[in-house]
Amino acid sequence: MAAVANSNRVREALSSGRFLISVEFAVPGVGRPFEDAVRPALDLARSIRDDPRIQALALTDRSGSDHDHDPIAVGDRIVEACGAMPVVHLAGKDRTPRGLETDLDRADSLGLEMFLLVTGDKVRSLPPGRPVRYLDSVDALCAARKRSRALVLAAALCPFKYREEELMNQYLKAGKKIRAGADFLITQIGWDMRKFEEAHWVLSQRGYHVPLVAGLLFLTPHVGRRIRRDGLPGVMVTDDLARKLVEEAQARDGGWAAAYRRLALQIVGVRHVGYAGVQVTGLHSPSKVGRLLEEVEAVSRECPTPGAWREAWQAALTMADGRPAQVAPRDAVYLGPGKSGNGVRPNPGESRRFQMMHLLDRVAFHEGSPGARVIGPLLRRVEPRGSVGRALLYVEAAIKEPLVGCQRCGFCRLPQTAYVCPETCPKGLANGPCGGTRDNVCEFGDRECIHNHIYRLSKHARRLADLEEVLIPPVPEERRNTCSWVTHFRGEGPRAVRLAHRSATFCRQER
């Protein structure tokens, strides 16, 4: 079957309800010459040119290092090689809103139209002399969708969370991403098939009938050891799964046959659940992709029903002692019919601070309040970077830093974030968490994720809908290190908007 030049096979598959398979290529760092770095991707692209079983290559951005080759440039070469539109990942790590616009301009000039927009993982090394900013994926989706209705936009979802706060935050933010412009969602990598089912169920219950694509990894013993040693944000290889991989490594082929079968079983499993497709990573050669496709066909014949598949999956996870390998923590939280979490509540300190800050906001800053009537007319005359503005900045910091950890962003969004300063997130995220938390702990490992605090407070105040519907704008760089009180009363502060529920671009086919 000859490919049509510049065809978007992903769009065609999602529109028709055909199960799609994309293969992820990890774009190498700039330490390798571009032609050497792109050669394996071009080999993959040529192999799928006439293969209708593979719809696209997906190109990562700033995942292997802080300075990978440009995925847009690689995407242009992919189209030349196979005529099929790639899924270009664009990470918010060290990317500004203006930088995103520039990148989308370049992509448009090359005819690229399909993007996965993610916040990105933490930087490996801080650049000297400047902070690293992260463009929140929700803000990126809004900007890209505002730019063009014709773009095909994907967003990420990590359902492999096992505490109420971090789990519910993932689903609430997923709803916000869909409202902001995402056409379909791609999950993080995981081996807990109950979580794949949960994600499908939760989104359907919340009225988000968008296609779900499962992110899956070719998990060999070597890859499992590397994840356990170095970590991979949002990805968990449990002790039991690690032991299972050690057992598989004793086989003559070092565990490769078991890895192919496990991956094929997952592909068939999510297809039974109702997923629109999969994005597979860890297979960078045409021969490996070909072997996987053969394994998928064999497993599909072996497991034509969900029941048959379930038996095969349980057998694949059974360890040498006859015990099933646990792929999730023993105290894991799952959502489903009649299940909504563990009933977490804010601690007394969180509640007192919320009540105090909410009262202060209502008295001093809310439109028509006594404070606003007195100080509003005065502050409207103040130049933000004048001498009075600089003095007010120090007063504001002296008051707010002990209370909320104020970072002097000049663009205070506290009323929209349950009075938890989003700048205290290492990535500065205001619209919800990234996917890198584990057991409620921030990806940076030095604190509880601030969005857990926001969730508990919002739940207690019955404002959870805001975490799903309200878009909080990013901080303009020119506002930083100015007094947010001046910005607020001059009418130049953040304007949060409530995002409407979007109709699905692609009608998901239930299976």
Side-chain angles (χ1 to χ4, degrees):
M1 172 179 152
V4 178
N6 299 324
S7 65
N8 193 323
R9 296 183 186 179
V10 171
R11 185 196 294 273
E12 293 163 5
L14 293 175
S15 297
S16 65
R18 180 185 178 190
F19 192 79
L20 72 90
I21 298 177
S22 68
V23 178
E24 185 174 298
F25 178 77
V27 176
V30 295
R32 289 178 60 185
F34 182 78
E35 291 302 325
D36 289 345
V38 78
R39 190 172 295 116
L42 297 181
D43 290 342
L44 274 173
R46 296 184 189 102
S47 74
I48 73 169
R49 179 170 48 206
D50 300 320
D51 191 339
R53 297 174 298 177
I54 303 293
Q55 278 65 49
L57 292 187
L59 307 172
T60 63
D61 179 35
R62 306 177 192 185
S63 63
S65 74
D66 295 339
H67 306 287
D68 292 343
H69 280 292
D70 177 17
I72 294 174
V74 179
D76 181 45
R77 296 292 298 277
I78 294 298
V79 173
E80 289 179 6
C82 71
M85 191 68 61
V87 182
V88 178
H89 297 196
L90 292 178
K93 178 168 63 174
D94 210 12
R95 182 176 264 117
T96 63
R98 187 172 300 172
L100 175 67
E101 286 292 336
T102 299
D103 290 333
L104 291 175
D105 281 341
R106 290 192 301 114
D108 182 60
S109 70
L110 298 171
L112 301 176
E113 64 177 17
M114 188 159 51
F115 306 95
L116 169 62
L117 298 170
V118 297
T119 300
D121 57 8
K122 69 177 182 179
V123 295
R124 288 159 173 78
S125 58
L126 292 173
R130 67 174 179 86
V132 172
R133 306 293 185 201
Y134 291 78
L135 178 59
D136 190 301
S137 56
V138 176
D139 294 317
L141 285 161
C142 273
R145 181 54 69 212
K146 183 178 180 181
R147 176 189 181 89
S148 172
R149 301 295 303 175
L151 295 177
V152 179
L153 302 179
L157 165 65
C158 187
F160 305 101
K161 305 298 182 185
Y162 297 97
R163 302 277 293 273
E164 179 184 337
E165 298 97 319
E166 62 180 357
L167 177 60
M168 284 301 301
N169 268 326
Q170 283 295 313
Y171 289 124
L172 292 168
K173 189 168 184 178
K176 192 181 290 191
K177 290 174 181 178
I178 295 167
R179 291 166 181 265
D183 295 308
F184 65 103
L185 299 179
I186 302 176
T187 73
Q188 178 57 285
I189 295 161
W191 295 273
D192 184 351
M193 297 302 289
R194 284 184 63 189
K195 282 294 181 180
F196 283 113
E197 294 181 31
E198 174 192 87
H200 185 274
W201 182 85
V202 169
L203 291 171
S204 295
Q205 290 296 305
R206 302 187 79 83
Y208 297 117
H209 301 292
V210 299
L212 266 175
V213 173
L216 303 176
L217 172 66
F218 181 62
L219 182 64
T220 63
H222 170 72
V223 171
R225 286 193 301 271
R226 191 177 69 217
I227 292 174
R228 298 263 293 179
R229 182 189 67 235
D230 302 333
L232 187 59
V235 178
M236 176 191 300
V237 175
T238 62
D239 292 343
D240 268 9
L241 184 54
R243 281 192 286 270
K244 176 64 176 170
L245 293 172
V246 170
E247 292 176 359
E248 293 173 357
Q250 307 309 308
R252 183 173 298 179
D253 69 351
W256 281 60
Y260 277 111
R261 179 167 175 78
R262 179 169 41 249
L263 181 52
L265 279 166
Q266 284 196 282
I267 292 173
V268 174
V270 297
R271 188 165 61 194
H272 280 312
V273 170
Y275 275 60
V278 295
Q279 180 163 296
V280 176
T281 188
L283 297 173
H284 279 184
S285 73
S287 62
K288 292 178 181 177
V289 173
R291 180 174 173 181
L292 172 65
L293 294 175
E294 292 174 1
E295 189 74 28
V296 170
E297 291 172 1
V299 170
S300 296
R301 292 190 296 270
E302 177 190 341
C303 305
T305 65
W309 173 85
R310 201 166 289 112
E311 289 183 10
W313 179 247
Q314 290 172 351
L317 288 181
T318 300
M319 298 194 290
D321 61 4
R323 185 170 57 86
Q326 298 296 319
V327 293
R330 296 188 184 279
D331 59 348
V333 171
Y334 290 88
L335 303 179
K339 300 177 182 178
S340 59
N342 290 336
V344 297
R345 297 174 60 85
N347 63 49
E350 289 175 328
S351 295
R352 284 194 297 270
R353 185 178 62 185
F354 175 86
Q355 292 164 1
M356 178 182 65
M357 295 297 295
H358 184 62
L359 177 62
L360 180 62
D361 180 61
R362 288 287 169 175
V363 170
F365 296 99
H366 201 263
E367 185 176 355
S369 67
R373 289 198 298 269
V374 173
I375 63 177
L378 299 175
L379 294 190
R380 278 193 283 274
R381 303 174 187 173
V382 174
E383 287 297 323
R385 296 197 182 275
S387 57
V388 175
R390 289 196 300 271
L392 287 171
L393 170 63
Y394 287 110
V395 173
E396 178 185 24
I399 295 172
K400 289 168 60 178
E401 190 169 350
L403 286 174
V404 296
C406 176
Q407 303 290 303
R408 308 184 187 193
C409 74
F411 202 64
C412 191
R413 295 150 292 164
L414 286 173
Q416 290 82 40
T417 57
Y419 305 101
V420 177
C421 178
E423 292 295 297
T424 58
C425 165
K427 297 180 182 179
L429 304 182
N431 282 295
C434 66
T437 63
R438 182 169 179 178
D439 291 332
N440 278 357
V441 177
C442 170
E443 178 187 338
F444 285 68
D446 61 346
R447 70 198 78 187
E448 184 181 14
C449 174
I450 69 156
H451 293 280
N452 296 339
H453 299 276
I454 295 172
Y455 171 82
R456 289 192 292 264
L457 291 164
S458 298
K459 181 180 180 181
H460 185 61
R462 300 185 179 182
R463 291 169 52 179
L464 281 180
D466 291 352
L467 305 188
E468 186 172 7
E469 301 171 4
V470 174
L471 172 70
I472 304 170
V475 177
E477 283 301 310
E478 63 270 17
R479 292 291 177 192
R480 293 190 182 274
N481 292 309
T482 62
C483 178
S484 72
W485 299 340
V486 174
T487 301
H488 172 77
F489 286 113
R490 286 169 64 99
E492 299 165 351
R495 293 198 171 120
V497 296
R498 194 166 293 274
L499 298 169
H501 200 304
R502 292 176 62 243
S503 299
T505 302
F506 304 106
C507 181
R508 192 180 62 205
Q509 303 294 312
E510 297 294 343
R511 294 171 176 82

